[in-house]
């Protein structure tokens, strides 16, 4: 806990800032965003930022003295009929209420925001100016842009891995490690439903997460089939992991809140990626000495 605490602000004032940054009206129709727990009149001095509202994140909030947890993923996305502590959601809600910790969720409204989740992932790849990958419910979803110069696929993947928080799954890549890539499409979180938009964008590589076997295999097969008609076998695929690809948004959110509110804001140290270790991995790429230092 911080040694010196600010006088704090009303939770309603924090919510107003968050909803100015991420208007709830821009969330997808199926989403559930906004204040999930807390009294708008309670005082907030300490804010904890995380991707997921898990039991461990709430325990961390209590431990560091946070009054508010802001997460990307909603706790109550689907309807529940009990908040008994016999379920994980019930136990989480109980821990929040008993410890007077509020919870606010900014999900797809943060995905489409500028700056937001998409821009954070694009920046980690080295993109600057970007455009929307697609339009969903009148909102820009995902980003696409070009690197300042072409780089080998393996170097882009390594650059991204260095920017991401460590996770058990690491970064998975499909494509020729030495292929030059420049145009990059990104979509934080689960993205294997956007392959049509990626193909329309003419991206050399698609950076996303949660790529399932069949959609990913089909996308690569279509790219290989395109070679027969003069294509280049793109887009290649980079699966950065769901939690890690969206965690990149949190540091920028911290700076935005610190600039607008007299509160302490810190990033959760809890890794809410569900995977703990991997065995039996096969790296099918060859070592690629990189003569460029500092990249």
């Amino acid at each position: 806990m911080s040694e010196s605490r600010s006088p704090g602000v009303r939770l309603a004032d924090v919510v107003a800032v968050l909803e100015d940054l991420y208007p709830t009206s821009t969330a997808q129709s199926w989403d559930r965003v906004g204040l999930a727990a807390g009294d708008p009149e309670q005082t907030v001095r300490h804010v904890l930022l995380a991707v997921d509202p898990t039991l461990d994140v709430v325990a961390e909030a209590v431990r560091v003295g946070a009054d508010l947890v802001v997460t990307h993923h909603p706790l109550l996305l689907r309807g529940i009929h009990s908040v008994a502590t016999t379920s994980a959601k019930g136990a989480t809600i109980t821990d929040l209420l008993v410890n007077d910790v509020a919870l606010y969720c900014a999900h797809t409204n943060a995905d489409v925001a500028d700056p937001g989740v998409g821009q954070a992932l694009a920046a980690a790849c080295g993109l600057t100016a970007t455009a929307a990958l697609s339009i969903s419910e009148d909102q820009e979803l995902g980003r696409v842009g070009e690197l300042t110069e072409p780089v080998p696929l393996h170097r882009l993947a390594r650059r991204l891995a260095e920017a991401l928080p460590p996770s058990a799954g690491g970064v998975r890549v499909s494509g020729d490690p030495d292929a030059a890539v420049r145009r990059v499409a990104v979509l934080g979180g689960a993205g294997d439903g956007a392959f049509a938009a990626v193909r329309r964008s003419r991206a050399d590589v698609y950076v996303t997460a949660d790529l399932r076997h069949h959609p990913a295999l089909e996308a690569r097969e279509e790219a290989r089939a395109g070679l027969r008609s003069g294509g280049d076998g793109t887009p290649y695929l980079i699966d950065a992991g769901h939690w890690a690809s969206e965690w990149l948004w949190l540091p920028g959110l911290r700076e935005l809140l610190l600039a607008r509110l007299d509160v302490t804001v810190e990033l959760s140290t809890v890794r809410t990626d569900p995977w703990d270790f991997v065995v039996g991995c096969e790296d099918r790429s060859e070592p690629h000495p990189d003569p460029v230092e500092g990249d």
Side-chain angles (χ1 to χ4, degrees):
M1 187 182 299
S2 174
E3 294 183 1
S4 61
R5 289 168 65 84
S6 74
V9 299
R10 293 186 313 147
L11 174 58
D13 297 326
V14 184
V15 169
V17 169
L18 287 166
E19 295 188 351
D20 180 57
L21 294 169
Y22 314 112
T24 57
S25 61
T26 63
Q28 298 290 287
S29 58
W30 51 264
D31 205 1
R32 297 292 180 267
V33 300
L35 188 62
D39 179 351
E41 296 303 314
Q42 74 185 80
T43 300
V44 173
R45 298 183 179 89
H46 194 145
V47 181
L48 182 69
L49 308 181
V51 174
D52 298 284
T54 64
L55 287 164
D56 284 346
V57 167
V58 175
E60 181 184 29
V62 174
R63 185 172 65 253
V64 302
D67 310 292
L68 169 64
V69 178
V70 177
T71 64
H72 184 49
H73 293 139
L75 176 63
L76 304 174
L77 180 60
R78 297 175 179 84
I80 61 172
H81 305 286
S82 169
V83 292
T85 59
T86 51
S87 72
K89 289 187 185 298
T92 302
I93 293 169
T94 298
D95 287 353
L96 287 165
L97 298 180
V98 167
N99 292 286
D100 202 24
V101 177
L103 173 66
Y104 189 94
C105 307
H107 191 207
T108 53
N109 49 334
D111 287 332
V112 304
D114 183 10
V117 175
Q119 282 82 1
L121 182 55
C125 292
L127 303 176
T128 51
T130 61
L133 175 61
S134 64
I135 304 296
S136 179
E137 298 185 13
D138 297 324
Q139 300 298 323
E140 295 186 352
L141 190 62
R143 310 304 300 171
V144 61
E146 295 192 355
L147 302 170
T148 55
E149 61 182 7
V151 299
L153 178 61
H154 74 87
R155 189 189 300 181
L156 174 63
R158 188 178 67 188
R159 175 188 297 168
L160 180 59
E162 290 172 351
L164 294 168
S167 65
V171 174
R172 299 186 300 171
V173 185
S174 179
D176 178 357
D178 292 316
V181 296
R182 183 165 194 171
R183 188 162 177 81
V184 182
V186 305
L187 181 61
D192 62 19
F195 281 124
V198 173
R199 284 190 283 269
R200 286 195 300 270
S201 76
R202 305 183 68 82
D204 299 318
V205 57
Y206 179 36
V207 179
T208 186
D210 286 357
L211 290 177
R212 294 170 296 165
H213 174 85
H214 292 296
L217 181 61
E218 182 176 351
R220 291 301 299 135
E221 288 292 279
E222 290 292 338
R224 293 184 180 102
L227 287 169
R228 300 178 181 179
S229 56
D232 56 5
T234 61
Y236 304 118
L237 305 178
I238 295 180
D239 188 320
H242 196 127
W243 168 77
S245 67
E246 295 182 325
W247 182 95
L248 293 169
W249 164 67
L250 298 180
L253 172 57
R254 179 178 184 271
E255 296 308 312
L256 291 171
L257 294 180
L258 288 174
R260 290 164 171 78
L261 296 164
D262 184 16
V263 293
T264 298
V265 185
E266 65 177 292
L267 305 182
S268 172
T269 61
V270 176
R271 186 190 67 191
T272 56
D273 186 282
W275 306 109
D276 294 310
F277 62 93
V278 177
V279 298
C281 295
E282 178 189 4
D283 183 355
R284 296 174 61 185
S285 67
E286 295 295 329
H288 298 277
D290 193 344
V292 180
E293 297 182 0
D295 183 51

